[in-house]
Each structure stands twice: as C-alpha cells, then as structure tokens.
Amino acid sequence: MSELPSSAKIVVIGGGIVGCSVAYHLAKRGLETLVLERHQLTSGSTWHAAGLVGQLRTSANITKLLGYSVELYDKLEAETGYGTGWKRNGGLRLACNEDRWIEVKRQATTARSFGLDMHLLSPKEAQDLWPLMNVDDVVGAAFLPTDGQASPSDITQALAKGARMAGAKVMEGVSVEDFVVENGRLVGLKTSAGVIRCEKAVLCGGQWTRQLAARAGVAVPLFAVQHQYLITEAIPGVTPNMPTLRDPDRLTYYKEEVGGLVMGGYESNPIPWDSSNVPEDFAFRLLQDNWDHFEPLMELALGRVPSLGEAGIKQMINGLESFTPDGNWIIGEAPELPGLFVGAGFNAFGIASAGGAGMALADWVADGEPPFDVWPVDIRRFGPNHRDPSWVRTRTLEAYSKHYTIAWPFEEYRSGRPLRRSPLYDRLLAKGACFGEKLGFERPNWFADLAAGEQPIDRYSYTKPGWLDAVAREHKACREAAVLFDQTSFAKAMLVGRDAEKALSWICANDVSGLPGRVVYTQMLNAKGGIECDLTVIRRADDRYYIVTGTGFATHDFDWIRRSIPKGLDATLIDVTPMNAVLSLMGPKSRDILAAVTESDVSHPGFPFGTAKEIHIAGAPVLAVRITYVGELGWELHIPVEFAAAVYDALTAAGAELGLVDAGYRAMESLRLEKGYRAWGSDIGPDHTPLMAGLGWAAKLKTAIPFQGRDSLEAAKSRPCPRLLAGFTVSDPRAVLLGRETIYRDGERVGWLTSGGYGYTIGKAIGYGYVRREAGVDRSFVLSGRYELEIAGERFPAEVSLGPFHDPNGERIKM
C-alpha cells in the first residue's frame, strides 16, 4: 500500500460505484482527488447489486441524471478498455389492474414530458418482448427502449480506472475514522494511516455513511435493510437481449444473466439490520439465506414466469442495502459542516443513479452548487425528526414496503406518527381533521363532516379521491365567508444584529428596508438568478427581522441564509419555529371576526395589506400579519404556543355566526392555484429566475441596491426568456391534473405541468407549467398558441393565461 499523502484537495471516502463516479467526474475536471476505501473497491453494497438501470422518475432533473448515467455507461468501456457488462436492452413495466394501468399511462406521459420515448403496449406486445411470461392478468405494459442493465462491479472498476486515467489516486485498505474541524469547517480526516488535510471531503460510504457522519454531528438519515434476489441456472428461451422486467403488482423484478434470470422483489414486510450500525468489517459478505421470507415473492414470480419452477437455483443473494425515509437518495453539502459532502442512501437503484449522481455531486463540490435543481435528493430536505435512528428506521421500512405499490397522488406516510404537533392538534382531531405530515409535523389536510357521518380517512384515487367534497366545502367557505388554517408548522427564524438589514438586502431580491412592521414577499437568488428561497420577511425592529418559510424548507432555507450572510457582518439567524403557533384567518368576513376579538384597528386604512403589528386576542400577544396565500382578505396570526388554544377558541366563537370553518392544506392548494401563487419545489426553484416565473415585480431592479443574483437578472432582461410560467385550465370534467402532464402548443411539445389541481370557484382543472422554446419565449408567444395537455396518453384542449384565474386585479386581498 502506498503511503498516505499529507494532503489532498478533495478526498472521496468510499470506493463503491457512487464514490468512484464522483472521483471520475472530479478528476475529469482536473481537480486533485484521492479515493480512500476501507477494504477494496465495491466491497460494500455495490458488488451484490442486481444491476438494473431504469431512468424515469417523477422529477425531470432526477430523470435527467439517470439519463446521464445511461449516456456515460454507453461510452465508458470504450474510454477505459474495461468491460462493464452494460447493455441497452430496454425495460418493461407491467400493469395488472386498472388503477396500475392509469399509473403506467401517466408514467408514459411523464416520460414524454421529460423527453423519453416510452411506449404503451398490449399484453401480447409485451409478451413478444418477454416470451417466458404469462400475461393472463396483464392489462397493459410500458416499454422504455433506452433502459438497460450492467455488471455493478465491472462498471465501478471502469469508473475507477477512468478516474485514475484522469489523475485521481485510489488507496484501498485505508479507513476514515473521524473528521478534523477548525472554525466550524472541515479541514482534514483522521484515518487508519494517519491524518490527511483536505479542502473538501465527499462521504460515499454506503450503509456506513450515517454512523461515520454522526461523528461530525451530521445527520444522514438512512437505514440498512436486507434485500434478497436469486440467480438461476440457464433457462430455455432466455436470450441475452431480453429487456429488464418490473412487475410491481407482483412486487418482483427480473433481468437476464448468463442465460438465466435474476429475480428479486420488494416485499411488504422488509427485514432491517438488527442493530443501528452495520459492522465495519462487513465487506464482501452476505447474510444467511432466508427462504421463508422469500417464499411469498417466489410464489408471485411463479405466476408470472412458470419456468422458474423448473429452473435450478445457482445462488441466493441476501445483502444489506441502505434505504432512506422517502425512497430518494441523498447528495449535497452537509448543512451542519461546510466542506463535507454526502452521496448515500441509493435505495437499491445506485447503479442506475451513480453516473448522474457522481456528476452532480462533483459539480457541487467544484462549483459550490449543483449543475441544476436537485431538490428531491438534496440533503437539506430533512429536519430534526430525521436525526433519530429509531424514527428513521420505522419510516424507512415503510418506504421500502411501498417501493412497488401504486404511488397514489397525495399519499401520506403512516409510520412514525404523530410526532411534531401543534398545540391545537387534539382540538382539530376532535373536529374531524384528517392529518398529513411534513417534516414530522402533523398538519390538517381536510376536515370531515362528523355530524353527517363522514370519516377523516384518506381514500386515494387517480380520478376522484375521497376528500373532494370536503375540500370543496372549505374552498367555498374561504371564498364566501372565512376559514382558519392551522399553519403552526411554518418554519420561522429571527435574523438579529446591527447589520441585519444590510445582510438581508444582499440576500433578498426584493427591497426589505423600511420601518418596523413592513411585510415583504421575496425570493432569495443564487448567482445565476435562480430562486433558492421563496418566503416572507417581516421587519420587527431596526436590528431584527422575522422570517417565515414553508415547513419542508426549514433546513434548506436557513442553511442558504446562513451561508449567504456576507463575511464580517453582525447578523445571526436563530430558528424560532417551536416558539410560535400560526393561525391563518382568511376570507371576506375575516375582518369582522378579527374585529370582534381585538380592540386594535383592523380596518384597511388602519391595517393595510403588507403590514404587521402586535395586537391582543383573549389576553394573548399576537403578531398579526396581513398577507395571503389564498387570494382573499386575511391575516396570519403568529401566537406564542402557550396562548394558541385561547386565541383559537376566541376566533371560533366569534366566527360561529359568520360561517367560519376549519380548513386544511388541500383547500389551500386549490385556492392558491386559482390565484396563481407559486409553490417553491414545483413551480419555482433554482432553475427558474423571477423573470421566467412572472415574479420580476418582486425584484428590486429599479433601485441601485446590489443583491445576490442581480447581475444575472440584469443580463437576462436583455434577451428572450427560454421559458415562461403559464397557467392552464381544462373544461373537460374527465381531466385530472396532478403535475407532469405534457404541454402541447400548436401540436408541438413545449413543456410539462409543474403543478395541478382543481379550482372549485371556476369549476375547472388548473395546472401551471413552463412554456419552452429554444429561440426564446415572450408573452405574445405564450398567448398566441393553441394548447393541449396530455393526461395518461390522452390530449385535452386547454386555455392558457399569464394572469390569475381568480380576482386577477387583486381587489379582494386589499378590501
């Protein structure tokens, strides 16, 4: 073994397929890179991976990353001279009931939206591609010709060789034991061969990542789960170019291997590793075969591939794989420790993901940001509940068990609940709340009419889910009377210090100056002008601001703000989320209700839109913020948690005769769609500038105040936008818009919906999406086209708008 160098610019920890991909891409960029592997390359989970490579995901950019993997694997053997076992033999997915068939047809539409050529097949056409299978119960199938399969160990060795060819060094037999931290930043690693200084490290330790990261105080929520598959002897009729096959209704998958088959699956009762930490010497090791546990999958497989019953079994593989609580992998710079990056938790599709994940992570390390928005896999999507191994274990097992179940729209996880609760939780539960969960927080999604016998239980569907009538009631009440939303789960922070205004002026695109009490809706931009945060800033004093953002964005947004504060400024961000409950009182009668419980002046002249002031309700101090996300007159009421119940009771009593009702997040979604309000993570994000999103009015470009991203926005103003966000409505009552439906303009595919739902006031399905054109897009181009939306393979005529569908002039919010 070579002697450990004293320093390296970047150290990659772990020599599995992801670590080697990161090293390959870093070295290709000319960066000094060292890979440290505790045992030998591929010795963790990589060597026993099944090796199926599929591309389609629900996110365009994650699909793009998996497509990049395919493109990389196409050329890797020729580049390195090392055989990879890669072949583009395509991938089949079966549907065996009508609900699954709707899902598969929607997946085919999503594939077209993202530029993939997925074909819908009849059972006979699918059988022609895979003659060994019985199709008696098959309703239909989808075929993606560019999917494939690879030899995991070989493709990893090829990546490692490519990394070496580009200048990277790989050292085996060296374990990383701890981190060297100075002034809150990673500066080195303690290894079994001594200390090595580095500028950055990339932790790609597979199922050991969580326990090693914890030594630096970094949370990486993943858990090791047993995953079994078998390899048969040669089977007559199995040919080398047979597609991979996924049969989710039977929980199983298949691929060809040396004339035989690999068959495995995702059972509903997974077996976790029996302790929190995987032994450090668990290299090139498998677990004892568990035929009793595998037998139900085998019975399901025999119904699909009867010849399996006559095949000899060459080997059973029972290995450990690391899974995450939401089934997505984890990449990015740890918010707890600058300089430490993570690439882990690949949920048994690490081979498919590794090429793209390695590229994105290498760019992130080199450039300080990923090449494009990767929010679905960003490490900052997690919160405090993800720091508890017990909670992570429970939720991860549920995520594993749902790997092949139908992905119902708006489906909620059930495990690990309830955890974080509003002080009003019990009250709302007694009133019929059906709760959802976000970052561990229980939030009312809708309210059942208990008096009428309605039960607060979600009934999922691709056509008419069980909560539609309840959401329609709440939506109507907000438009005609008033509603109360419990939004206690909002992420809330204080930015304090004598330079608070100067710091926020740089970080925020909008102008946050002004007197205490001013409320500003703003974006925070990256250097390219993309929207990193979308939130509300309230000036409380000369030296402090109160910042409110979405529940799920707490870690991300607060990390962004902290990293963006210019050096040398006296400004500190403090998370105050647990301190305040939030009740949003919205609707045309909200002023009458609020006036009945406070002596403060809540008239429009006395309390105009976009202002905040402290009032008192039922003896409680309340920060009342006049703002809206539903397009109606209303206030957010931020209340110290110990007063929340008293304020709620006072409001409900005062509103009883005025039609006040409780409402949930599903009504809020339909209300905001009618009003055209954007949602970060779907409609807007780091790939979209305010100019593209119709939010240019919220950027202080008419002032001379510098801000992060300003130069890019200024430059963008002088050229056509590559895309513009537009709203669409579909009158056909059969249309169900969920997002990712394909947008056609004059018969040409120009984009896809970023979000969708139903507008109960206008009585139509509503969706939003970017209209794209290489030559650029302007208002005239968008509005002059004839539009259709493809939903599950069928095209529906659609009307387009660049303004809100409800109250386009904003008269109702400023009553």
Side-chain angles (χ1 to χ4, degrees), residues 354-632:
M359 177 272 287
L361 195 46
D363 281 1
W364 204 332
V365 172
D367 302 330
E369 61 182 4
F372 40 73
D373 181 15
V374 293
W375 173 243
V377 297
D378 192 318
I379 191 172
R380 294 169 295 178
R381 71 187 187 271
F382 300 115
N385 49 312
H386 295 99
R387 302 189 76 88
D388 175 28
S390 177
W391 191 94
V392 169
R393 177 183 186 273
T394 299
R395 178 59 60 85
T396 298
L397 292 178
E398 182 184 4
Y400 179 106
S401 72
K402 288 182 173 181
H403 193 89
Y404 273 162
T405 60
I406 292 175
W408 296 110
F410 311 108
E411 185 176 8
E412 296 280 351
Y413 284 101
R414 295 179 177 273
S415 59
R417 298 177 56 189
L419 183 62
R420 304 172 76 185
R421 282 172 272 188
S422 157
L424 304 174
Y425 176 82
D426 291 332
R427 275 174 168 75
L428 301 181
L429 185 66
K431 294 177 74 172
C434 183
F435 287 92
E437 177 258 338
K438 180 70 70 75
L439 222 62
F441 232 123
E442 295 295 316
R443 315 190 313 169
N445 276 338
W446 58 277
F447 286 81
D449 185 348
L450 299 179
E454 203 171 45
Q455 295 300 307
I457 300 172
D458 279 331
R459 288 182 287 109
Y460 300 112
S461 170
Y462 273 105
T463 54
K464 187 178 180 181
W467 55 80
L468 283 187
D469 291 343
V471 172
R473 292 193 303 265
E474 296 167 20
H475 183 113
K476 179 180 174 69
C478 187
R479 291 282 186 246
E480 298 180 1
V483 297
L484 269 179
F485 297 105
D486 182 1
Q487 295 190 271
T488 298
S489 65
F490 266 153
K492 304 168 283 279
M494 295 292 297
L495 187 74
V496 300
R498 67 175 179 272
D499 295 322
E501 180 185 329
K502 186 180 292 186
L504 271 187
S505 288
W506 169 252
I507 302 169
C508 294
N510 210 341
D511 185 358
V512 297
S513 64
L515 298 174
R518 182 164 181 251
V519 178
V520 178
Y521 165 65
T522 185
Q523 286 78 49
M524 295 176 172
L525 311 182
N526 55 39
K528 299 174 184 176
I531 301 171
E532 290 288 348
C533 308
D534 179 71
L535 40 72
T536 303
V537 171
I538 303 158
R539 187 155 204 173
R540 300 288 285 132
D542 289 345
D543 63 349
R544 65 191 55 225
Y545 287 83
Y546 185 54
I547 300 171
V548 183
T549 190
T551 307
F553 312 136
T555 304
H556 174 278
D557 288 7
F558 296 166
D559 177 68
W560 181 263
I561 294 169
R562 289 188 180 103
R563 290 174 184 265
S564 299
I565 296 172
K567 292 188 186 312
L569 294 190
D570 177 24
T572 302
L573 190 76
I574 305 168
D575 186 349
V576 297
T577 300
M579 295 174 60
N580 288 338
V582 181
L583 283 171
S584 291
L585 175 66
M586 297 287 158
K589 296 183 181 179
S590 59
R591 177 177 284 117
D592 297 334
I593 296 169
L594 192 58
V597 297
T598 183
E599 295 184 3
S600 297
D601 182 1
V602 295
S603 67
H604 181 65
F607 202 148
F609 184 79
T611 59
K613 63 182 179 181
E614 189 168 297
I615 65 175
H616 285 81
I617 301 174
V622 175
L623 177 64
V625 182
R626 190 160 169 211
I627 197 169
T628 182
Y629 192 57
V630 297
E632 299 292 338

Side-chain angles (χ1 to χ4, degrees), residues 9-11 13 179-189 198-203 213 216-219 332-342 364-365 368 379-380 558-565 567:
K9 188 176 183 68
I10 302 166
V11 177
I13 305 167
F179 304 92
V180 181
V181 179
E182 294 176 3
N183 299 317
R185 184 176 183 85
L186 177 79
V187 296
L189 304 169
C198 61
E199 294 181 11
K200 298 173 183 177
V202 190
L203 179 51
V218 172
E333 188 170 13
E336 303 94 333
L337 182 58
L340 179 63
F341 292 76
V342 173
W364 204 332
V365 172
I379 191 172
R380 294 169 295 178
F558 296 166
D559 177 68
W560 181 263
I561 294 169
R562 289 188 180 103
R563 290 174 184 265
S564 299
I565 296 172
K567 292 188 186 312

Side-chain angles (χ1 to χ4, degrees), residues 624-709:
V625 182
R626 190 160 169 211
I627 197 169
T628 182
Y629 192 57
V630 297
E632 299 292 338
L633 170 70
W635 285 263
E636 281 178 15
L637 306 174
H638 293 251
I639 312 155
V641 291
E642 66 269 29
F643 293 106
V647 172
Y648 174 81
D649 291 345
L651 290 168
T652 52
E657 295 183 358
L658 294 173
L660 178 69
V661 301
D662 294 289
Y665 275 82
R666 295 207 172 116
M668 186 181 296
E669 177 68 5
S670 70
L671 291 158
R672 77 96 184 169
L673 286 170
E674 285 188 336
K675 187 58 180 167
Y677 292 139
R678 281 53 168 147
W680 195 90
S682 54
D683 304 320
I684 55 177
D687 293 343
H688 311 301
T689 69
L691 303 178
M692 298 173 190
L695 296 171
W697 57 268
K700 52 183 179 247
L701 292 176
K702 294 181 179 180
T703 75
I705 303 171
F707 61 91
Q708 190 165 231

